[in-house]
Amino acid sequence: MPEIMVFAATGRTTEQKRGLARDLTDAMVKNFGVPAESVTVQIIESPRDSKAKGGILFCDR
Amino acid sequence: MPEIMVFAATGRTTEQKRGLARDLTDAMVKNFGVPAESVTVQIIESPRDSKAKGGILFCDR
Amino acid sequence: MPEIMVFAATGRTTEQKRGLARDLTDAMVKNFGVPAESVTVQIIESPRDSKAKGGILFCDR
Amino acid sequence: MPEIMVFAATGRTTEQKRGLARDLTDAMVKNFGVPAESVTVQIIESPRDSKAKGGILFCDR
Amino acid sequence: MPEIMVFAATGRTTEQKRGLARDLTDAMVKNFGVPAESVTVQIIESPRDSKAKGGILFCDR
Amino acid sequence: MPEIMVFAATGRTTEQKRGLARDLTDAMVKNFGVPAESVTVQIIESPRDSKAKGGILFCDR
């Protein structure tokens, strides 16, 4: 509470995810005044043939 | 804006996903009057032991 | 199965949603080969002070 | 209708998911008065470097 | 961890939601072996002109 | 791309949401190396009788 779900194409390193989870959580604590331990972050990655922008799959862009 | 998330069991081809992403985007442009480039589609697939209907996993149906 | 979730800012008419639900469902039937009755669409609308692009709320753009 | 999405870290067995899907569906039937066949459950698992609590990835805890 | 999101049409009472939240949480504790306090449930309700089955809005069914 | 969905109980001010959207977007730009304009944030709020922790609705805690 709150829960943050990040929907992204695959391809990030663990180091990138580590930094993102920390900074998203900090943003929530700072702005919503919740304890850090109450914040959950989940990154939902889909392969590049399962995500599109403008109707074009990322694997085709 | 808007974002379309499709939750499905695994097992579709890239060709199927390519057609779906194009047609879902067209439907959004036609009905909501948004530019195609503003529409994001993500297909979130789960294996057949992680999706159920009527309380029965797809791998058991 | 599959489920389609559309995340949008508020402000569409019932007529727009009616057309969108029909066309999204048709796109799913055509491309994934599922029966129309198995397709669920939900539009999750948030007010314009609860959605942002580029870090700017829609109510501020 | 309704759709239940479970966001979890990876690592559960098919047996655990089978029981969960059954019990979540039963809970929906009992409390919301819907037919079991109308209930969909999808478990969206992310690897332990893609989920965090308190800003710390599960792979680091 | 895990988080349960329930996507439903509007129209349930607080009493129904109270029972659902309790029973969904119990199902998670029983099957996934997590502490109850780690389970979050959120019910995301949309009005009947924002949810469809078979391409037909609930307000038209 | 990516899309950030924040699931929360109602009760935040526009000012809190404004700061959160800006800081979540900055976190994404910094860690994932994407342009700010490609980042969408949506806050999905549910009333306090529609969100629970430990099986207890927020309106009962």
Side-chain angles (χ1 to χ4, degrees), chain A residues 46 49-53 60, chain B residues 14 17-18 37 41-43:
Chain A
S46 293
D49 77 343
S50 296
K51 184 149 190 169
K53 184 178 161 62
D60 293 336
Chain B
T14 295
K17 295 174 185 175
R18 184 177 287 124
E37 274 303 305
V41 174
Q42 184 162 343
I43 306 169

Side-chain angles (χ1 to χ4, degrees), chain E residues 14 17-18 37 41-43, chain F residues 46 49-53 60:
Chain E
T14 295
K17 295 175 186 175
R18 183 178 287 122
E37 274 302 305
V41 174
Q42 185 164 341
I43 306 170
Chain F
S46 293
D49 78 344
S50 295
K51 183 148 192 169
K53 183 176 161 65
D60 293 335

Side-chain angles (χ1 to χ4, degrees), chain B residues 55, chain D residues 4-6 17-31 34 39-43, chain E residues 3-6 20-21 23-29 31-32 39 41:
Chain D
I4 306 176
M5 307 296 178
V6 178
K17 295 175 185 176
R18 183 178 287 122
L20 182 70
R22 185 194 55 228
D23 291 348
L24 293 179
T25 302
D26 286 352
M28 194 65 73
V29 170
K30 172 185 164 195
N31 290 285
V34 294
V39 180
T40 307
V41 173
Q42 184 162 342
I43 306 169
Chain E
E3 291 78 43
I4 306 177
M5 305 297 177
V6 178
L20 183 70
D23 291 348
L24 294 179
T25 302
D26 286 351
M28 194 66 71
V29 170
N31 290 285
F32 272 28
V39 180
V41 174

Side-chain angles (χ1 to χ4, degrees), chain C residues 5 7 12-14 17-18 21-22 25 36-45, chain E residues 7-9 44-47 49-61:
Chain C
M5 306 296 177
F7 294 86
R12 310 298 170 174
T13 66
T14 295
K17 296 175 185 175
R18 184 178 286 122
R22 185 194 55 228
T25 302
E37 273 303 305
S38 74
V39 180
T40 306
V41 174
Q42 185 163 342
I43 305 170
I44 297 111
E45 292 186 301
Chain E
F7 294 87
I44 297 112
E45 292 185 302
S46 294
D49 77 344
S50 296
K51 183 148 190 171
K53 183 177 161 64
I56 312 292
L57 295 179
F58 276 57
C59 64
D60 293 335
R61 292 178 78 95

